[in-house]
Every structure is written in C-alpha cells, then in structure tokens.
Amino acid sequence: MHYRVVSRVTVPKEELPSSVFRRSGAPVLTLITCAPPFVPERGGYLSNLVVTAEPAESRGPGNGRA
C-alpha cells in the first residue's frame, strides 16, 4: 500500500493532541518522533514532529517506488 503525506507539524511535547491516537474515522498513518531542541537538563527533546499520511490511490505495476 502507498501513502501520501498530508500534514507535518512540530508541537511541544506537552501539547501533543490526543487526536493523533484516534481509533475511528478514515484510515491514516501517523508518525510521531522527537524534534529539536534537545535540552538534556529538561529531559531531552522538547517537541514532537507529527507526520500524517493517507492511503494513496494504487499505482499500476512498475509505476510506483518500493
């Protein structure tokens, strides 16, 4: 299955929206990872990068990337 990225946002860790953990609605793929700045005395990274992707239309054989 192929996906296309529809949003990319950096948010403070304490403001990560609960909607990224939803269990209903249209299918989506959500990637949550650490984002700068890294502040060791405050416990590490202060932000999260949230990338959301939706299923893309299927491409014919040989027309997509692996």
Side-chain angles (χ1 to χ4, degrees):
M1 179 171 276
H2 292 90
Y3 288 83
R4 79 181 161 88
V5 173
V6 294
S7 71
R8 178 181 164 247
V9 62
T10 301
V11 296
K13 284 191 177 281
E14 62 275 358
E15 294 179 24
L16 188 62
S18 61
S19 62
V20 300
F21 301 105
R22 70 185 175 93
R23 293 178 177 247
S24 61
V28 296
L29 176 66
T30 303
L31 167 72
I32 303 168
T33 191
C34 299
F38 180 77
V39 183
E41 56 275 1
R42 291 199 43 207
Y45 289 97
L46 301 183
S47 297
N48 285 115
L49 172 64
V50 181
V51 179
T52 304
E54 296 176 342
E57 289 186 31
S58 179
R59 299 175 187 172
N63 292 332
R65 291 185 280 184

